[in-house]
Amino acid sequence: MGRLTEAAAAGSGARAAGWAGSPPTLLPLSPTSPRCAPGAVAHACNPSTLGGRGGRITSETPSLLKIQKISRAPWRAWLVLAITMVRFYMEKGTHRGLYKSIQKTLKFFQTFALLEVRIVPTSVLVTGVQVSSRIFMVWLITHSIKPIQNEESVVLFLVAWTVTEITRYSFYTFSLLDHLPYFIKWARYNFFIILYPVGVAGELLTIYAALPYVKKTGMFSIRLPNKYNVSFDYYYFLLITMASYIPLFPQLYFHMLRQRRKVLHGEVIVEKDD
Amino acid sequence: MRHSPVEILDAKTREKLCFLDKVEPHATIAEIKNLFTKTHPQWYPARQSLRLDPKGKSLKDEDVLQKLPVGTTATLYFRDLGAQISWVTVFLTEYAGPLFIYLLFYFRVPFIYGHKYDFTSSRHTVVHLACICHSFHYIKRLLETLFVHRFSHGTMPLRNIFKNCTYYWGFAAWMAYYINHPLYTPPSNLRSSAGETGARHLCGKEAGSVTSPSTWPCGTCGPLVRSKTRKIPYPTKNPFTWLFLLVSCPNYTYEVGSWIGFAIMTQCLPVALFSLVGFTQMTIWAKGKHRSYLKEFRDYPPLRMPIIPFLL
């Protein structure tokens, strides 16, 4: 599931930004502020927090070089993707072949997102789910099942992912540079309202479109009898994956809505405890 | 004797829930919990967590009021732990499930495999042997739960039973499906005879672990089995306890060994995956146990590893 979840999970530090929360460089932004390790959410790396610790501002402000490194990599990836997509559509007037032209960049940067997974004891499961779902979409669906690459639904989730990531990375970058325009914050916590369902719809439709091909070719499946006494049917696996969106999507969506209320409207929300 | 008043506040909202005005100073937390239940019957003692600080640790049932750092009126903060269920119930359910489920597959009850296979029996010896080993393993665990384990906490949150049962029952069904399948491929001759001897060994190991209560001081279930006097476990005359020379938690070592042996015997990938998942979880527990042993005992034998001799 191309999770736009972390888009609003500012308050829950580690968990949210987990998978694609921060640049592949893995540089801690501030050596003494543990929250600013990779994957830390922007608000925890709010410059005022950084400067506030012990009042030693100079030693804790991230160096410009670090900021440049940090903001460069994923920023450019998604910007490049966005620009490529727009240009392609303007030149060709159709979305067919679009996926083919951007797939290398997409795969490269989505796989790199794996490096961004911060190993957090409490949320490695959630982070893992988020990373693996995007990797799953890119490698196991669109890459492996060529006939569906020209589906409209592919464009749907690509657009959703691209806009989310650009918003998110600009949010992080501007926060680091201590100059966060309200518009960016607003965008980050409001775009997901549309983008998240759009992305999920795109993914589900793509998987649904892939089903007939999977059934026909029997790909990624193993039948009995065999030496290891196991069987796996990719077709049913996909059906189960689609079904899993039903319990997971509302939970994540409402979580993001709660985060939005907390951040934008300063509501104090007493979280249910475990 | 001066009676001390106790007031109980909600840890989250600070609302005053209960005021007990005549509590004897040498009353224990358990007694206070019982008194609290009288005013709020929906919160039975097992689901109460009383603490001195809203964000602090829970007080133990044995703690005495007099010995706590409180003023003239003791203020305790209450947290609801949610519906609780006893350890014994959970264990019995989670072990009885696999036992029963495996047998359903073994006897090829209708609607699992094709209709022409209903109630047929496999022609491979290893399949029968596997059933015996698997059933024996879970019968052993049920007997342990009933007669060997001493449980300290008594309860756990209700949702744990769903989590645990899904894990055990799910894996049992998954394994049993393939082992008892009409298209099951037994291991090659050489491996199967080795496997069968191995299996008999394992059943022996299982028997051994049951009959040696000295393996239990460590406890399969960490916090549950707690001997009153804390001593470093050492090997005794019972050969099954000799593994204590090398590991802190030999019961986990034996458990992992049994399942790996079962995987080799049946040549079934789901069994191997189950062993792997179990091994991962048990390693985490063993490491925790090992760490607490090291903290507690200065002279803990340095050669011992948590679960795998010399390695892990």
Side-chain angles (χ1 to χ4, degrees):
Chain A
M1 315 178 213
R3 292 295 163 252
L4 312 177
T5 59
E6 50 57 46
S12 53
R15 173 156 50 108
W19 77 266
S22 73
T25 49
L26 293 184
L27 287 173
L29 304 177
S30 160
T32 52
S33 142
R35 296 228 198 155
C36 289
V41 182
H43 107 270
C45 299
N46 191 306
S48 59
T49 326
L50 285 176
R53 286 175 189 262
R56 286 157 46 225
I57 295 174
T58 41
S59 59
E60 301 210 9
T61 318
S63 72
L64 203 56
L65 186 62
K66 282 188 187 170
I67 297 175
Q68 282 174 347
K69 265 197 188 166
I70 284 154
S71 51
R72 220 183 286 147
W75 241 126
R76 287 220 293 209
W78 289 99
L79 220 43
V80 160
L81 268 171
I83 293 171
T84 317
M85 283 164 62
V86 170
R87 275 180 52 193
F88 185 96
Y89 196 80
M90 294 200 324
E91 280 168 28
K92 302 264 172 88
T94 172
H95 61 273
R96 288 181 190 283
L98 169 67
Y99 181 79
K100 208 151 173 205
S101 63
I102 57 146
Q103 63 175 334
K104 275 219 182 76
T105 322
L106 180 71
K107 280 183 225 168
F108 183 71
F109 281 101
Q110 282 292 14
T111 314
F112 249 96
L114 262 176
L115 293 175
E116 298 176 5
V117 174
R118 170 173 154 189
I119 309 299
V120 176
T122 50
S123 71
V124 82
L125 191 64
V126 179
T127 316
V129 168
Q130 292 172 351
V131 187
S132 44
S133 64
R134 280 220 189 171
I135 305 265
F136 162 75
M137 273 313 294
V138 170
W139 286 103
L140 295 183
I141 304 283
T142 47
H143 167 77
S144 315
I145 309 171
K146 303 249 185 304
I148 55 125
Q149 284 174 8
N150 288 321
E151 291 283 323
E152 286 85 358
S153 48
V154 173
V155 182
L156 211 56
F157 74 75
L158 283 179
V159 167
W161 290 5
T162 314
V163 178
T164 321
E165 297 302 285
I166 291 177
T167 322
R168 190 159 57 88
Y169 283 117
S170 45
F171 179 78
Y172 290 161
T173 314
F174 281 112
S175 309
L176 284 178
L177 296 176
D178 195 13
H179 178 72
L180 180 70
Y182 185 73
F183 165 67
I184 301 282
K185 186 166 161 187
W186 184 91
R188 191 202 160 144
Y189 288 102
N190 281 294
F191 280 2
F192 79 88
I193 297 178
I194 306 290
L195 290 178
Y196 190 22
V198 164
V200 167
E203 291 166 32
L204 283 176
L205 287 170
T206 313
I207 301 176
Y208 185 71
L211 288 177
Y213 297 102
V214 172
K215 193 166 192 130
K216 197 169 61 168
T217 58
M219 62 188 293
F220 296 162
S221 304
I222 181 170
R223 298 256 131 84
L224 283 178
N226 62 69
K227 202 163 60 148
Y228 299 109
N229 292 305
V230 69
S231 67
F232 180 74
D233 195 331
Y234 193 47
Y235 179 77
Y236 288 109
F237 176 74
L238 288 180
L239 287 178
I240 293 171
T241 309
M242 286 175 72
S244 71
Y245 276 66
I246 297 174
L248 291 174
F249 169 71
Q251 280 190 40
L252 294 168
Y253 195 61
F254 288 127
H255 169 78
M256 284 153 64
L257 284 174
R258 279 201 303 273
Q259 292 302 119
R260 176 179 171 271
R261 286 208 300 272
K262 246 202 264 189
V263 174
L264 290 185
H265 303 301
E267 276 184 38
V268 174
I269 297 174
V270 177
E271 293 284 345
K272 262 204 332 223
D273 14 328
D274 276 2
Chain B
M1 174 156 18
R2 269 225 311 243
H3 288 171
S4 18
V6 174
E7 66 168 357
I8 300 182
L9 310 176
D10 185 298
K12 273 185 281 178
T13 62
R14 307 286 200 273
E15 173 197 336
K16 189 144 132 175
L17 296 170
C18 177
F19 187 79
L20 306 160
D21 52 351
K22 282 212 171 59
V23 182
E24 293 178 15
H26 59 75
T28 58
I29 295 290
E31 288 163 20
I32 294 176
K33 284 186 181 173
N34 283 328
L35 292 170
F36 186 45
T37 306
K38 292 212 180 76
T39 53
H40 291 84
Q42 77 275 22
W43 289 325
Y44 41 88
R47 77 189 265 185
Q48 294 176 32
S49 161
L50 294 176
R51 35 185 93 173
L52 292 167
D53 179 72
K55 295 205 169 51
K57 273 178 61 167
S58 261
L59 294 168
K60 299 206 208 31
D61 278 1
E62 312 83 60
D63 290 343
V64 176
L65 184 62
Q66 213 168 21
K67 303 217 170 79
L68 297 172
V70 290
T72 35
T73 303
T75 305
L76 297 175
Y77 292 93
F78 162 78
R79 203 153 227 212
D80 183 14
L81 296 170
Q84 300 282 303
I85 186 167
S86 76
W87 277 97
V88 181
T89 315
V90 174
F91 271 39
L92 290 180
T93 328
E94 65 186 33
Y95 297 150
L99 184 63
F100 180 65
I101 289 171
Y102 194 99
L103 291 173
L104 287 178
F105 286 89
Y106 177 73
F107 290 115
R108 296 198 184 146
V109 153
F111 297 104
I112 300 178
Y113 307 110
H115 275 298
K116 65 175 180 181
Y117 297 115
D118 290 349
F119 296 119
T120 53
S121 174
S122 173
R123 56 190 165 87
H124 307 293
T125 333
V126 73
V127 172
H128 306 299
L129 204 54
C131 181
I132 295 171
C133 286
H134 188 268
S135 310
F136 189 80
H137 180 87
Y138 281 102
I139 291 172
K140 177 202 80 156
R141 287 218 204 175
L142 284 167
L143 292 175
E144 275 167 18
T145 311
L146 289 170
F147 302 115
V148 178
H149 279 181
R150 301 185 302 277
F151 300 97
S152 60
H153 281 264
T155 66
M156 64 158 101
L158 185 62
R159 71 168 163 292
N160 276 16
I161 195 174
F162 300 111
K163 208 171 38 130
N164 292 8
C165 284
T166 310
Y167 171 74
Y168 277 101
W169 296 14
F171 262 113
W174 196 39
M175 292 192 292
Y177 176 77
Y178 292 110
I179 298 173
N180 300 297
H181 202 282
L183 297 177
Y184 170 73
T185 316
S188 65
N189 267 337
L190 193 67
R191 252 180 272 158
S192 77
S193 49
E196 277 158 58
T197 356
R200 290 199 195 96
H201 256 282
L202 293 170
C203 292
K205 250 196 232 164
E206 314 259 12
S209 346
V210 175
T211 55
S212 60
S214 46
T215 53
W216 300 125
C218 164
T220 29
C221 346
L224 299 186
V225 182
R226 208 173 272 170
S227 34
K228 290 295 169 198
T229 53
R230 310 273 304 169
K231 292 198 305 261
I232 302 176
Y234 277 111
T236 63
K237 289 210 199 71
N238 184 335
F240 287 107
T241 60
W242 293 351
L243 205 48
F244 268 114
L245 281 169
L246 298 171
V247 285
S248 298
C249 295
N251 51 318
Y252 291 151
T253 321
Y254 283 132
E255 184 76 21
V256 172
S258 305
W259 283 109
I260 292 177
F262 190 66
I264 295 171
M265 181 175 88
T266 55
Q267 294 267 284
C268 180
L269 193 63
V271 180
L273 290 174
F274 179 64
S275 315
L276 187 66
V277 177
F279 174 64
T280 316
Q281 177 65 85
M282 284 190 270
T283 307
I284 295 172
W285 290 337
K287 283 192 170 221
K289 196 81 201 149
H290 188 76
R291 228 174 290 135
S292 65
Y293 276 157
L294 289 174
K295 247 194 272 186
E296 196 172 338
F297 302 111
R298 286 291 116 116
D299 53 343
Y300 198 73
L303 206 57
R304 278 197 207 174
M305 299 298 278
I307 185 172
I308 307 283
F310 308 119
L311 291 176
L312 196 54

